Each structure stands twice: as C-alpha cells, then as structure tokens.
Amino acid sequence: MSNNTKELSEISALSVPMEDRRVRKTVNAIHTAFSKLFFENGLGGFSVSDLIAAADIARSTFYQHYSSKEDVLCTLMAPMLRQIALCAWSQEPPVPLVQISQHLWEN
C-alpha cells in the first residue's frame, strides 16, 4: 500500500464513527480499495464494480454504505475539508491543516 493510500485510509477511519466492528471492517475495506484505485487510476479510471471487486464485498453491501464512488471520495476528503474550514474561522492555522498542506504540496 502506498503512503498516500495508507494516510488517506487512516484519516477516513477516524472520520467515520461506527459501533459495529463488521461495519467498520467493511467501510475500511471500501476506503482502502478506493484509495488504491484512485491513486493508481484517478477517479475516472475505475468503476464501482472495480471498487467492489477490490474491496471484496457484495454490490448490495457497497450500496448500504455509499451511493457512488464520488460519495466515498467525499467521505474520505471530509476530514481535510473540515480542517480548511476551521482555518477560515481562526487567526492561526490549526496544526493538522499545516500538515495536510505540506502533504499535498509534496505529493
């Protein structure tokens, strides 16, 4: 797994509160598969079917959690966008925003 894939999956795992361990495992599988496919092919370079196969889940399971691959992308990006929004309201940028900015600049 690339560093980008790992970091994005770790960020997303923190952003999705789930009580059920099975749900958490499924969502993490979707996020990991999405990140891998996204960084290898870009958003237009894979389908929901590819994502389902990579996550090794059933189609109905995917649609229980997400409506599209764009929905997965929004979920994965939410923590970063939250930090940017926080920055807009404060005088000093939060430390996580500085780290995210550095990561984006370097990659």
Side-chain angles (χ1 to χ4, degrees), residues 47-54 59:
S47 65
V48 170
S49 294
D50 297 329
L51 178 54
I52 289 166
R59 179 172 294 280

Side-chain angles (χ1 to χ4, degrees), residues 20-87:
D20 188 335
R21 183 183 49 144
R22 293 170 298 165
V23 171
R24 194 169 45 250
K25 182 179 176 184
T26 299
V27 170
N28 285 339
I30 293 168
H31 290 180
T32 300
F34 178 92
S35 297
K36 181 179 184 301
L37 291 168
F38 179 82
F39 286 113
E40 288 175 357
N41 308 305
L43 187 61
F46 66 96
S47 65
V48 170
S49 294
D50 297 329
L51 178 54
I52 289 166
D56 194 27
I57 59 170
R59 179 172 294 280
S60 61
T61 301
F62 175 82
Y63 285 110
Q64 286 176 339
H65 299 283
Y66 298 100
S67 60
S68 65
K69 64 182 182 179
E70 290 80 8
D71 190 18
V72 180
L73 177 63
C74 288
T75 299
L76 290 171
M77 292 191 63
M80 291 180 278
L81 296 175
R82 229 178 264 117
Q83 291 301 319
I84 292 169
L86 286 173
C87 182

